[in-house]
Amino acid sequence: MSETLVAKASLHQTESTRFKPLVTIAIPTYTRRLLLQRAVESVLNQTYKNWELIISDNASTDDTQAFANNLGDERIRYVRQETNIGLVRNLNAALKQGKGDFLKPLADDDYLHPEYLKEVIMFLENNQDIGYLSMDSMIVNESGSLLLRRPTPSSKVYRSKIPLLLHLIFSSDKKRRQVFTPTESLFS
């Protein structure tokens, strides 16, 4: 395990984060431990600390389980599917276990900017009528150099459209998440 993971894993919820909204980050994964490590490191590096991470392993055949079990952070939960149930069901299994006020799906080959959660939570807390938020994404190579920037559609704030789950965060509050009909029935 990298020194970064060990150092960040030692941080726990403090008095100052206890009263801030909890964010559930759900990472579905299947046999991509090296990519998963980068995604997990990006969560551990968040400046906003009141989160939980659920790693949902879709019956991986590599060392994903050993990696997840050695993270040593009480905010991280590892769930292993007995058989491969497919990406969507694996993601739904992770999201269903979330306890957060906000839910963030994160692909195992994606990672977050260190200020991501802080900025998004501040915006959503100040805009209670927003059910979910989508933002620009960047495609980078292995060394981190920008290859492509994918902007969101002209309107970055969505109140009634059903989103793609790639680059967004949404509220788990029943009133604020009614735009997610499939998800709504999952959490009821």
Side-chain angles (χ1 to χ4, degrees):
M1 188 177 341
S2 74
E3 288 181 32
T4 304
L5 279 177
V6 172
K8 295 296 178 181
S10 66
L11 295 174
H12 297 290
Q13 186 172 333
T14 64
E15 188 72 28
S16 64
T17 62
R18 188 176 320 174
F19 302 105
K20 292 182 180 178
L22 177 66
V23 178
T24 297
I25 302 162
I27 303 178
T29 191
Y30 175 70
T31 311
R32 299 196 323 168
R33 203 267 309 153
L34 291 176
L35 293 172
L36 175 64
Q37 180 175 337
R38 184 178 67 176
V40 170
E41 285 176 354
S42 78
V43 174
L44 290 167
N45 286 322
Q46 291 300 298
T47 58
Y48 186 89
K49 301 295 183 191
N50 197 21
W51 50 260
E52 67 175 347
L53 173 60
I54 301 168
I55 299 170
S56 189
D57 182 355
N58 207 6
S60 291
T61 57
D62 63 1
D63 62 342
T64 296
Q65 184 172 9
F67 165 75
N69 286 334
N70 287 317
L71 287 169
D73 188 313
E74 65 187 19
R75 300 171 295 175
I76 299 174
R77 285 186 281 151
Y78 172 76
V79 178
R80 180 175 171 81
Q81 307 303 329
E82 291 182 26
T83 60
N84 189 316
I85 59 174
L87 174 62
V88 173
R89 286 186 177 155
N90 194 32
L91 173 60
N92 285 342
L95 290 172
K96 188 174 183 179
Q97 292 191 31
K99 299 174 185 167
D101 300 315
F102 297 97
L103 307 171
K104 170 60 182 152
L106 181 63
D108 62 2
D109 62 345
D110 288 346
Y111 57 97
L112 303 174
H113 184 279
E115 299 286 318
Y116 175 85
L117 290 179
K118 181 181 98 171
E119 295 295 324
V120 168
I121 295 307
M122 187 169 35
F123 179 84
L124 289 172
E125 283 293 288
N126 291 322
N127 295 278
Q128 294 289 319
D129 62 324
I130 304 299
Y132 72 96
L133 181 65
S134 179
M135 58 275 320
D136 294 353
S137 61
M138 295 182 290
I139 299 174
V140 298
N141 62 18
E142 289 180 10
S143 65
S145 298
L146 180 65
L147 299 176
L148 176 68
R149 178 181 219 85
R150 284 196 307 213
T152 57
S154 59
S155 174
K156 293 185 181 186
V157 177
Y158 300 93
R159 290 180 170 83
S160 64
K161 295 179 184 175
I162 296 180
L164 294 173
L165 291 179
L166 297 177
H167 306 286
L168 59 89
I169 188 166
F170 54 95
S171 171
S172 63
D173 180 300
K174 227 176 171 116
K175 292 176 192 165
R176 290 175 73 183
R177 64 182 159 84
Q178 288 181 1
V179 296
F180 298 99
T181 304
T183 306
E184 177 71 23
S185 63
L186 174 70
F187 295 112
S188 297

